[in-house]
Amino acid sequence: MIEVIRAGAQMTLQGAALTGYRHLGFPACGAADPLSMALANHLVGQGATNTALEISYGSVSIKFRSPAQFAIVGATADLSLNSAPVFPNETLCAEAGDVLTIGPATAGARLYLAVNGMLEADNYLGTSSTYLPARLGGYQGRRLQNGDCIGFKLDRSVPCQTLPNDLGLTYSTSFALRATDGPDLKCADRALMYGESFQVSRRANRMGVGLLGKYPTNANSKSKPSAAVFPGTLQVPPGLEGFLLLADAQTTGGYPHLLQVNRSDRHLLGQLKPGDRVQFLRRTPEQAAKDLISKQNHISQYVPDFKL
Amino acid sequence: MTQMFLLGDDCLTVSMEPNENKHSIAEHLRATKCWSEVVVGKQDITVQYDPIILPPDAALNQLEEQLSHYVIVDSALGEIIEIPVSLSAENAPDLLHVAAQIELPANKVWDHLASRTFTIDMLGFTPGFAYMTGVPEDWTIERLSNPRQSVPAGSIGILTGQCGLYALEGPGGWPIIGRALIPLFDGEATQSPLLYNANDRIRFAPDGRDHD
């Protein structure tokens, strides 16, 4: 069992994303950064979408009330086990009573803590992912609070491993995201959208992140008939702030859709935090498919069951 | 006339004139198992594909071919589903306010609604939220000036020209005039988790009243 001593800004249980339910209005759900979660799970011998803790912005502590093998992957933060420093991107071991402390995230937004075992969680539509607005999944459908305990069944121990250097990503506070033109981007506005350095606003959560910056004039002057939107969609409602959609975002929207962050780079959206800089790199759909195949092949060598 | 275009790096959109068969076309596309998502918008259908399995140009060809095989089904209308409704003050917090806006006595609002059949035009916004047409056309009803952080599952909202079903708890800005007495969502369902599909028709049976 693990006990939450200090829950921080937002800690939830996350698992698989939903597929095939968007026409009923169900968002993707699941880890905001599914790659980091898959890597953490892999280090403890678990499948890519095994239930794990998603920890936003760090600053938490957790007590292991029983022995565990665990791993942490994601945002940069100081980690310690009973005051002794430990490291991300490798398999770690805890004894009963050990306290893990995670400092504030200094680069990137979310850390994933996976354990070698099955964390107890509520399920719906075949996933354990917490969907906060409707209080579904995870731990009673809500964020974890101080004192909550999560049971788990310990699996047979696995050999300790360390992530290859090129997979344990180190984030900075600026992100370059590969994207394709959205249906409402005019050719004349490409230079502006792909040249601008946007800044993540304070409005940042699992639904999406606000992006402050200069948008094409008239881009946001009218709404259009509601159409499908997805994680990675950059919508521009009236005002100065665009909204880049994440895992829990709604399924349809009527605001101009200027860009779509490509599937190859969508895992990075979960690492954007207020103040970070974002620039978009233009790709055609054909180039995007090549980027995706190359990144997927690279990841698959290490985590065969993870799909971007 | 339909027009197809690539949307981002892993979606395709078919835009169409207002089309009463759009939900049945979407169902046809879903049945091909070719697309990970098939989402109906107001005037289009968007499909999502995996560019690793299906390159963008091949996806376009597939979609074009599938659409050419679509056969218009006889019944464009879906099932009729009857939903019992609670009108208690707790479950219908805005009923009096809505009645005042349309200048009707509160007990008459549901007399009108219960005699009508609503059609689910679209699902979305939040999980299972159903946009329905069929509200009397001369009713002018504004959004709440302060949207609620949380509306209970089953709530029935109304606006000018449309009413909505909140399948799950969630934020909402529509005035709430009743609440379904049966669950609209079943997370354990093996088939569809919702009581209804797009295109189904809904009749409301206010609690304690006979329904004809």
Side-chain angles (χ1 to χ4, degrees):
Chain A
M1 186 181 280
I2 55 182
E3 180 185 346
V4 177
I5 305 289
R6 188 158 52 106
Q10 187 181 87
M11 183 170 7
T12 55
L13 293 172
Q14 298 296 342
L18 293 175
T19 304
Y21 290 103
R22 292 189 84 78
H23 64 290
L24 303 178
F26 286 83
C29 301
D33 173 1
L35 175 58
S36 290
M37 187 176 89
L39 293 170
N41 271 322
H42 187 78
L43 288 170
V44 291
Q46 298 292 328
T49 59
N50 193 47
T51 308
L53 282 170
E54 178 177 280
I55 300 163
S56 297
Y57 309 132
S59 298
V60 302
S61 49
I62 285 157
K63 185 180 207 169
F64 292 94
R65 305 220 335 208
S66 54
Q69 276 189 304
F70 68 101
I72 295 167
V73 176
T76 309
D78 288 335
L79 311 176
S80 61
L81 194 62
N82 299 330
S83 313
V86 289
F87 298 95
N89 304 339
E90 62 183 46
T91 318
L92 300 166
C93 293
E95 298 301 327
D98 284 357
V99 174
L100 171 73
T101 305
I102 300 178
T106 52
R110 291 178 177 86
L111 300 102
Y112 292 84
L113 190 164
V115 299
N116 179 12
M118 185 83 85
L119 289 170
E120 286 170 10
D122 294 345
N123 281 268
Y124 62 101
L125 307 181
T127 181
S128 61
S129 297
T130 310
Y131 178 63
L132 294 168
R135 286 201 251 177
L136 290 174
Y139 189 93
Q140 300 170 12
R142 62 166 171 81
R143 63 174 66 182
L144 290 158
Q145 294 166 356
N146 298 351
D148 286 343
C149 290
I150 307 150
F152 67 92
K153 211 173 100 257
L154 188 64
D155 280 358
R156 202 150 47 105
S157 82
V158 292
C160 290
Q161 345 170 25
T162 303
L163 282 188
N165 281 336
D166 55 356
L167 280 176
L169 295 182
T170 307
Y171 303 100
S172 75
T173 53
S174 61
F175 289 77
L177 302 174
R178 291 174 288 190
T180 35
D181 296 351
D184 303 312
L185 181 67
K186 298 188 191 82
C187 295
D189 292 328
R190 274 185 194 145
L192 174 57
M193 284 306 293
Y194 293 104
E196 179 72 0
S197 165
F198 294 95
Q199 188 168 36
V200 179
S201 76
R202 295 176 61 86
R203 193 166 157 232
N205 54 41
R206 288 184 41 85
M207 315 273 280
V209 297
L211 287 186
L212 298 165
K214 198 166 166 214
Y215 289 94
T217 45
N218 300 327
N220 48 12
S221 61
K222 60 177 195 313
S223 61
K224 56 170 200 169
S226 282
V229 292
F230 294 87
T233 295
L234 176 63
Q235 283 192 304
V236 188
L240 296 168
E241 193 172 326
F243 200 60
L244 182 54
L245 305 184
L246 260 71
D248 283 356
Q250 73 277 17
T251 53
T252 55
Y255 297 121
H257 177 171
L258 294 192
L259 295 181
Q260 181 68 34
V261 174
N262 296 343
R263 192 182 275 237
S264 60
D265 290 357
R266 271 175 224 160
H267 63 96
L268 293 168
L269 301 178
Q271 296 298 348
L272 297 174
K273 69 172 181 312
D276 286 353
R277 288 278 168 186
V278 176
Q279 192 150 10
F280 298 103
L281 307 175
R282 182 164 185 268
R283 290 288 189 274
T284 63
E286 292 72 22
Q287 290 167 332
K290 289 197 182 113
D291 294 339
L292 177 64
I293 290 167
S294 128
K295 192 163 184 175
Q296 179 68 58
N297 285 345
H298 182 62
I299 295 169
S300 294
Q301 289 173 17
Y302 189 71
V303 204
D305 67 334
F306 174 75
K307 284 207 67 207
L308 281 166
Chain B
M1 248 335 271
T2 58
Q3 193 196 341
M4 268 185 285
F5 58 90
L6 293 166
L7 175 92
D9 67 320
D10 63 350
C11 289
L12 300 169
T13 296
V14 191
S15 63
M16 46 183 73
E17 296 297 313
N19 185 334
E20 63 180 13
N21 291 314
K22 65 184 178 183
H23 292 295
S24 117
I25 297 172
E27 211 41 63
H28 166 74
L29 294 176
R30 245 168 244 133
T32 66
K33 308 271 183 208
C34 188
W35 316 104
S36 55
E37 303 285 353
V38 179
V39 183
V40 175
K42 277 278 178 203
Q43 292 175 13
D44 58 22
I45 298 174
T46 297
V47 299
Q48 188 177 47
Y49 61 95
D50 180 349
I52 292 181
I53 300 170
L54 203 59
D57 51 345
L60 263 172
N61 290 338
Q62 282 263 11
L63 183 61
E64 195 165 12
E65 187 175 332
Q66 290 170 8
L67 287 171
S68 73
H69 291 151
Y70 170 72
V71 182
I72 294 172
V73 283
D74 285 344
S75 160
L77 293 170
E79 261 188 271
I80 294 189
I81 297 166
E82 185 163 295
I83 297 178
V85 179
S86 161
L87 305 183
S88 70
E90 184 194 354
N91 288 329
D94 304 316
L95 183 56
L96 291 175
H97 181 61
V98 166
Q101 282 189 61
I102 55 176
E103 297 174 354
L104 274 182
N107 60 351
K108 294 284 183 213
V109 174
W110 273 101
D111 287 351
H112 282 277
L113 297 178
S115 70
R116 287 172 168 256
T117 303
F118 299 87
T119 302
I120 299 181
D121 185 40
M122 201 170 113
L123 298 170
F125 161 58
T126 56
F129 186 89
Y131 293 87
M132 296 182 291
T133 55
V135 173
E137 282 167 17
D138 54 343
W139 290 9
T140 303
I141 305 162
E142 302 288 323
R143 276 172 198 277
L144 299 175
S145 45
N146 289 311
R148 292 187 169 91
Q149 291 284 320
S150 180
V151 170
S155 293
I156 300 161
I158 192 163
L159 281 184
T160 304
Q162 53 188 344
C163 61
L165 285 171
Y166 290 82
L168 288 167
E169 177 181 333
W174 296 31
I176 302 300
I177 56 165
R179 188 173 173 197
L181 286 164
I182 51 174
L184 306 180
F185 168 76
D186 174 9
E188 319 251 291
T190 48
Q191 297 288 315
S192 174
L194 296 174
L195 182 68
Y196 43 73
N197 281 306
N199 226 29
D200 283 346
R201 285 169 294 165
I202 302 289
R203 287 181 70 85
F204 292 113
D207 193 24
R209 294 192 195 185
D210 289 331
H211 194 274
D212 51 22

